[in-house]
Amino acid sequence: MSKNPPDTIKSQVAEFIKRNPGLRACEVARGIGIKPSTAGSALSALLKSRHIGKLGKPGFYQYYPGTEVTAPDNFGISAGMKMLNDCLASVRV
């Protein structure tokens, strides 16, 4: 069996990410109704061809359409940590 998913699967995954940006691989697989391994292969192929981008840490990547993916200002920061950072920033001035 080939490790490269058919173009139809890749196009389904790309379209699903376009409509639902920020999902993880398991959520993409569940949303389309394919095996997680198939979704992973399609995501890898789409990343390699630069049709999608990803943010996050290994095992917790979130996928987005396009390659110009930038994290929001407070990506990965809890509300409490943001408050602490804001307080420290005002003291450091």
Side-chain angles (χ1 to χ4, degrees):
M1 181 171 222
S2 172
K3 286 189 173 189
N4 294 326
D7 287 338
T8 54
I9 297 291
K10 288 190 283 190
S11 63
Q12 286 178 338
V13 169
E15 185 59 34
F16 190 76
I17 290 171
K18 188 176 180 180
R19 289 191 319 265
N20 304 283
L23 294 181
R24 293 180 34 215
C26 61
E27 296 167 321
V28 172
R30 192 176 320 120
I32 298 174
I34 59 177
K35 292 180 183 178
S37 60
T38 304
S41 296
L43 290 166
S44 292
L46 290 166
L47 283 165
K48 188 175 182 179
S49 65
R50 304 179 62 81
H51 285 92
I52 63 171
K54 66 182 178 182
L55 287 175
K57 298 178 182 180
F60 299 96
Y61 288 125
Q62 295 175 294
Y63 295 91
Y64 296 88
T67 56
E68 298 296 321
V69 179
T70 56
D73 289 339
N74 297 319
F75 183 76
I77 299 175
S78 68
M81 185 58 72
K82 181 184 177 331
M83 187 180 345
L84 176 64
N85 286 340
D86 291 344
C87 289
L88 290 174
S90 66
V91 172
R92 289 183 194 139
V93 180

